[in-house]
Amino acid sequence: MERWKVNSQPSIGLASAAKRSAAALVTALSLFAAANGQDTAETPNLSVFRKNVGIVSLAEAKTSVHLFERDGVEAVAGDFDADGRMDTGTFDTATRLWTVRMSSDSSTLAVNFPMSKGKSPVRPEAAPADMDGDGQTDLVVFCAGAWYVISPSRPGAVETSIFGKAGDIPVPADYDGDKKADLAVFRPSENRWYVRNSETGEVSMTDLTITGTDVLVAADFTGDGKADITVYRRGEWHTIDSEKGVAETFKFGFEDASPAVVDLNRDGRMDMAVVRKGTWYIYDGSSLVSHKFGDDDDIPLSMAPVKNSGKIN
């Protein structure tokens, strides 16, 4: 995987999954300069969580029906109906209720997890991922090392697994390229990722992250079918290239931007994005575009795991 680095404001060093020409890089930078602060013609599938409002989608041009009325309700996103577009919803950590609005037909999927309810020393955390390789994002809950999985196509069946421990941050994704998400956690106390291969059960460890500074990202940016272990650090992306197994660093973003993962052209390969003051900057592998959407304090939703590594300094 080739990477180019360019010094500019904002600082950008663009990545290429395949061997693209230098002309493609020049085109991308030109588009960025022209599109900075301007929307492109095509409306992308972007969504944000807005405090005291709920989930707002650019494609729908309206507020989602899923509202956040109290603490302990998390925003969730994924392709739960396998139509190639992001579906959004909520997970209530107190009642264990998932509510997801399907993009294919605007129907609502509501599923209660059969976990013990009420107060617990460890709060369950939503970690949606396609665990069985059927193309649909599954409803996944992580709690103190226990994983609970329900497929949207089989809402009555629950699968359980043990991997990790209390304090770990779940980052499930398909790291081995078998189309099934692997159980994976980041352990803040060690600055270390742990990934369990879904086929062999082997566990690999990766040291890449600075707890409290980095944002964890797990997505296939290279198009090889394997998720790349990645962190976003104040305008820089640090990644373990799944093709070569080596660490790489490049610049794309701003120090005060939030990272996001989208599939702009719906080709199945994830696109890197940064969001700053209501503007999304997205690199889709060949061009760099921007879209005005959201308020300054909105939280962008992603098609892949994007989680804080701990308390941000």
Side-chain angles (χ1 to χ4, degrees):
M1 179 173 62
E2 296 178 343
R3 299 194 186 278
W4 296 275
K5 296 179 175 62
V6 176
N7 293 323
S8 61
Q9 289 295 329
S11 187
I12 303 173
L14 297 180
S16 173
K19 293 184 177 180
R20 298 189 173 90
S21 66
L25 175 62
V26 174
T27 300
L29 293 174
S30 299
L31 282 172
F32 175 81
N36 190 356
Q38 300 176 6
D39 293 337
T40 56
E42 183 179 354
T43 302
N45 185 211
L46 306 179
S47 294
V48 298
F49 162 59
R50 183 167 299 161
K51 187 177 181 181
N52 298 324
V53 174
I55 298 173
V56 182
S57 170
L58 175 61
E60 295 178 359
K62 62 182 180 181
T63 303
S64 167
V65 296
H66 309 300
L67 301 182
F68 291 71
E69 298 175 351
R70 59 184 181 279
D71 293 336
V73 179
E74 302 177 7
V76 296
D79 187 7
F80 297 93
D81 53 9
D83 67 346
R85 297 179 64 84
M86 184 170 69
D87 310 303
T88 58
T90 61
F91 171 64
D92 190 320
T93 61
T95 65
R96 315 301 194 251
L97 174 66
W98 287 72
T99 307
V100 178
R101 185 173 183 177
M102 301 300 198
S103 58
S104 57
D105 58 7
S106 297
S107 64
T108 298
L109 173 69
V111 177
N112 260 114
F113 262 67
M115 299 168 58
S116 59
K117 300 178 181 180
K119 293 184 178 180
S120 169
V122 180
R123 194 174 81 172
E125 185 174 352
D130 182 7
M131 307 302 296
D132 54 11
D134 65 354
Q136 286 182 291
T137 300
D138 298 314
L139 314 177
V140 183
V141 174
F142 175 81
C143 186
W147 297 75
Y148 305 85
V149 181
I150 292 181
S151 171
S153 60
R154 303 185 305 276
V158 182
E159 296 184 4
T160 60
S161 301
I162 301 296
F163 182 69
K165 64 180 184 179
D168 288 350
I169 299 171
V171 282
D174 183 11
Y175 297 96
D176 56 14
D178 65 352
K179 300 189 183 302
K180 299 178 182 178
D182 307 293
L183 299 183
V185 297
F186 172 71
R187 188 160 295 162
S189 61
E190 301 175 4
N191 283 332
R192 181 169 294 165
W193 296 61
Y194 289 87
V195 178
R196 189 172 80 181
N197 186 290
S198 59
E199 292 296 321
T200 66
E202 295 180 358
V203 177
S204 60
M205 297 176 290
T206 300
D207 298 329
L208 179 70
T209 309
I210 301 175
T211 298
T213 297
D214 296 348
V215 179
L216 313 173
V217 185
D220 177 18
F221 295 117
T222 65
D224 66 350
K226 300 178 182 179
D228 306 295
I229 292 177
T230 305
V231 299
Y232 180 78
R233 184 181 302 158
R234 296 171 179 170
E236 293 184 342
W237 297 74
H238 302 261
T239 184
I240 303 296
D241 186 341
S242 59
E243 294 177 300
K244 299 178 181 179
V246 297
E248 295 183 335
T249 300
F250 62 103
K251 296 181 178 181
F252 168 42
F254 309 82
E255 286 194 7
D256 59 347
S258 298
V261 179
V262 301
D263 186 4
L264 190 64
N265 50 14
R266 299 174 64 182
D267 62 356
R269 185 182 66 196
M270 296 298 103
D271 306 317
M272 292 179 174
V274 292
V275 184
R276 179 176 183 264
K277 296 182 178 180
T279 300
W280 295 62
Y281 304 91
I282 306 170
Y283 180 61
D284 68 359
S286 61
S287 61
L288 187 60
V289 297
S290 69
H291 294 272
K292 288 288 293 183
F293 171 60
D295 296 337
D296 290 0
D297 297 328
D298 287 349
I299 300 173
L301 302 184
S302 293
M303 285 283 285
V306 177
K307 294 177 177 287
N308 289 334
S309 58
K311 184 178 179 181
I312 300 298
N313 295 326

